[in-house]
Amino acid sequence: MIKGAIFDVDGTLLDSMPVWDEAGERYLKSLGLAAENGLGEKMFSMTMEEGARYLKEAYRIPDSIAGIVDGINRQIEEFYLYEAELKSGAREYLKRLAEKSVRLTAATSSDRYLVEAAFVRLGIDRYFDEVFTCSETGAGKDKPTIYLKAASCMGTKPEETLVFEDALHAIETSVAAGFITVGIYDASSKGQQEEVCRKAQLYLKAFGDFDTFWKSTSAC
């Protein structure tokens, strides 16, 4: 019997992954500068500091590296505060799970204040017992710490707890820890969907018919 559910945020509940690719472009736009084609792809593998250094040199920005990093972070912050939207159908899943007395928590790699602000703006904060972050739990999603803490908060065992995730490495961690893992499609990881489908016990291309999904959980 399912008693709890843990939701990843970026790419699972929120359609927010593109902002990380667009952050540099958004920052340049705030300065009145036009970004080159493919800037997001070029910066994808860079750290924030490396990306800031690239922008400083390529666009002759007079600000310091730290100042550019702050400027990029402000663009990301404004996105969560004012723009981030739920994935289609996600609100219905939260509502239906709550109606079935399933306790809900969120597990995210993003900063707490950004996620909580987005949840309040979108009117879904009331569904969650707590938001857990990787920075606060002291481990990334290559370790099960964040999921175990979330389950402990809800008073549920892994085998009676759903974990909704879009990232392959997080899915692998959740499955290995004994959780019933639901792979969620996101365009940012479209190249890994075959592996996501294979590793997760359940898979959703989109948040569709909840009743069909709920019935499928009984087979896990």
Side-chain angles (χ1 to χ4, degrees):
M1 180 180 178
I2 302 300
K3 296 182 179 179
I6 303 169
F7 280 85
D8 169 56
V9 178
D10 297 302
T12 297
L13 274 181
L14 298 185
D15 190 12
S16 53
M17 293 304 291
V19 74
W20 298 97
D21 292 332
E22 300 166 1
E25 181 178 346
R26 285 169 174 256
Y27 170 69
L28 291 174
K29 186 177 180 180
S30 74
L31 300 179
L33 299 173
E36 66 202 79
N37 289 333
L39 177 63
E41 292 180 11
K42 184 173 290 186
M43 293 180 64
F44 179 77
S45 61
M46 299 180 187
T47 66
M48 190 71 81
E49 288 73 20
E50 288 170 342
R53 184 173 292 105
Y54 173 79
L55 293 179
K56 180 177 177 63
E57 295 173 356
Y59 294 87
R60 299 182 181 179
I61 298 171
D63 206 351
S64 66
I65 299 297
I68 295 172
V69 168
D70 287 343
I72 294 172
N73 281 330
R74 280 196 299 274
Q75 297 303 313
I76 295 170
E77 179 181 76
E78 288 182 5
F79 174 82
Y80 281 90
L81 294 179
Y82 306 114
E83 298 179 43
E85 294 293 340
L86 284 168
K87 281 194 164 182
S88 178
R91 188 186 306 276
E92 177 68 11
Y93 267 57
L94 297 177
K95 177 175 178 289
R96 295 294 301 279
L97 286 167
E99 288 173 349
K100 291 186 176 294
S101 299
V102 175
R103 298 184 66 178
L104 305 179
T105 52
T108 180
S109 299
S110 293
D111 290 334
R112 169 183 293 278
Y113 81 102
L114 295 177
V115 170
E116 290 183 340
F119 279 14
V120 169
R121 176 173 57 82
L122 294 166
I124 62 171
D125 56 301
R126 65 183 183 275
Y127 293 121
F128 291 91
D129 291 350
E130 184 58 272
V131 173
F132 290 86
T133 72
C134 289
S135 61
E136 291 173 352
T137 55
K141 289 186 176 179
D142 56 335
K143 294 181 173 61
T145 308
I146 194 168
Y147 305 119
L148 295 172
K149 286 184 178 293
S152 177
C153 169
M154 297 184 295
T156 62
K157 300 175 183 177
E159 61 267 23
E160 57 192 19
T161 306
L162 299 170
V163 171
F164 292 78
E165 277 282 2
D166 68 300
L168 179 59
H169 74 282
I171 288 168
E172 290 172 337
T173 299
S174 172
V175 170
F179 290 90
I180 302 171
T181 306
V182 185
I184 302 293
Y185 173 81
D186 188 73
S188 65
S189 56
K190 61 183 179 182
Q192 297 179 317
Q193 291 311 292
E194 185 175 336
E195 277 293 284
V196 168
C197 287
R198 190 171 68 83
K199 295 289 179 66
Q201 288 97 327
L202 300 168
Y203 177 77
L204 292 175
K205 179 76 172 178
F207 288 104
D209 178 12
F210 177 83
D211 290 329
T212 298
F213 165 76
W214 186 250
K215 289 176 183 177
S216 69
T217 66
S218 62
C220 294

